[in-house]
Amino acid sequence: MNAPDSFPQLLCMRHGAVTEAVRGRLYGRLDVPLSEAGREQIRRAAQALRRDLAADGSLPPLRLISSPLSRCRESAALVREALRGADGSLPPLLVDDDLAEIALGQWEGLPKAEIRRRFPAQWAARGTDMAHAAPPGGESFAGAQQRALAAVRRLAAGYPDESLLLLSHAGLIRCLMAHVLALPLQEVLRLPLPFAAVVRLDREGIGPVGKG
């Protein structure tokens, strides 16, 4: 495990399933909304998370921090409501641009077959060097990982006495998981992370939270 002392404890949650309009396409930072099925996934996952967090009957101090994309902001709002305190209070919610999905540049909104046809060299490079090759106008996994780690450390330093729940995306969360697991970024897409999945990252490693 690659979990240095400065790496904080936190929870990461992927947004729910998105609308059918982008099925089979790479959507990256396109502002794609949740589907109704995605909303239900988040509701179920949030209830499971509440049960896990409130093992002693009370919820710990928790701050939700969301990607700026609407699929995460809506997911965060649903989670926030599920974590409403007995006194009616809601956990704080912030939006942080550094939790946005990996930027895919000119590939965003395109199906894979079209990307392979229009950008054969760049597509091949991405497969050969997943860590450092980037789509035209986009971001590499290595760059996204650096951004994600810097964001987590900044947020943890800003809220040292609170647990953090980050509502983000498959690409970004996998970059954090790969860091903790000391997994080469070439293997990052092999990490399972379904919609509405929650993972715990801490000094002891990484493990699932709740059943969804």
Side-chain angles (χ1 to χ4, degrees):
M1 298 292 180
N2 183 16
D5 289 343
S6 61
F7 199 92
Q9 293 190 357
L10 72 154
L11 301 171
C12 295
M13 184 175 192
R14 187 184 178 189
H15 60 80
V18 297
T19 57
E20 293 286 326
V22 292
R23 174 165 287 192
R25 298 173 182 267
L26 301 186
Y27 45 92
R29 292 194 181 177
L30 293 180
D31 207 7
V32 181
L34 290 179
S35 65
E36 188 51 48
R39 295 183 185 99
E40 184 57 29
Q41 289 171 337
I42 291 293
R43 292 185 187 102
R44 291 197 304 267
Q47 289 300 326
L49 179 61
R50 181 184 179 93
R51 289 193 297 270
D52 285 347
L53 292 175
D56 63 353
S58 62
L59 289 169
L62 184 70
R63 181 173 295 266
L64 279 64
I65 306 174
S66 173
S67 157
L69 298 179
S70 63
R71 57 190 182 270
C72 283
R73 288 189 287 107
E74 185 177 1
S75 295
L78 292 170
V79 173
R80 189 178 186 225
E81 182 60 38
L83 298 180
R84 182 185 290 273
D87 61 355
S89 62
L90 294 169
L93 172 61
L94 302 175
V95 173
D96 194 295
D97 289 348
D98 285 335
L99 298 185
E101 180 61 294
I102 296 172
L104 297 178
Q106 295 179 35
W107 293 1
E108 291 186 350
L110 300 179
K112 291 181 181 179
E114 185 174 349
I115 295 170
R116 287 194 294 267
R117 178 177 60 82
R118 291 176 54 186
F119 305 94
Q122 293 94 333
W123 181 263
R126 184 80 155 178
T128 301
D129 185 4
M130 185 69 72
H132 301 103
E139 183 179 27
S140 70
F141 274 94
Q145 187 180 63
Q146 292 176 358
R147 169 169 61 86
L149 289 169
V152 166
R153 289 174 174 136
R154 169 174 53 78
L155 292 166
Y159 306 103
D161 300 322
E162 298 176 61
S163 298
L164 301 180
L165 174 58
L166 310 186
L167 272 295
S168 192
H169 307 266
L172 200 79
I173 296 172
R174 283 179 173 132
C175 285
L176 292 170
M177 292 168 69
H179 172 81
V180 172
L181 294 169
L183 184 73
L185 285 172
Q186 189 66 27
E187 308 296 322
V188 70
L189 294 182
R190 297 186 181 184
L191 291 168
L193 194 71
F195 289 118
V198 182
V199 293
R200 187 190 304 275
L201 282 71
D202 56 31
R203 295 186 180 93
E204 301 303 320
I206 184 170
V209 179
K211 304 301 182 183

